[in-house]
Amino acid sequence: MRNTTNRKKKRGAILCAAVMIALLGIYLGVILFPVVGEAMGDTAGMVFLIVYGLIVLAVIVGVLLALRQRLKEIDGGEEEDAKQY
């Protein structure tokens, strides 16, 4: 029973992370990339857009790191240990 529950929890965690990464990717593509073409001549505008893009990429990396940690928690059974208290 525990193995099936772990698979469901893993699937949910991966699905949640995938949805967030997809939304951030769409956001990056739809909002940021069209504006880059317009700001090519403006140095200050490009710096702002590069920093903005790096922030979005940092959030994506953070989501992946949180997913990795969550999968380790599920494998380690930390939730079952916490239920005892």
Side-chain angles (χ1 to χ4, degrees):
M1 181 174 145
R2 182 177 173 196
N3 193 18
T4 305
T5 304
N6 282 349
R7 262 191 264 156
K8 287 181 181 180
K9 288 180 183 179
K10 282 184 180 182
R11 192 177 311 146
I14 292 171
L15 180 65
C16 182
V19 167
M20 284 307 302
I21 291 170
L23 288 175
L24 288 168
I26 291 169
Y27 180 74
L28 193 62
V30 171
I31 301 294
L32 192 60
F33 289 137
V35 179
V36 169
E38 298 294 324
M40 279 302 215
D42 186 20
T43 306
M46 281 302 291
V47 170
F48 175 76
L49 291 174
I50 289 171
V51 169
Y52 192 71
L54 289 174
I55 290 171
V56 172
L57 290 175
V59 171
I60 290 173
V61 170
V63 168
L64 290 172
L65 291 174
L67 173 64
R68 190 174 96 189
Q69 180 181 359
R70 177 71 178 134
L71 292 176
K72 283 183 183 179
E73 288 176 359
I74 292 171
D75 285 337
E78 293 178 18
E79 289 180 349
E80 284 79 17
D81 293 341
K83 288 180 183 178
Q84 295 175 359
Y85 295 103

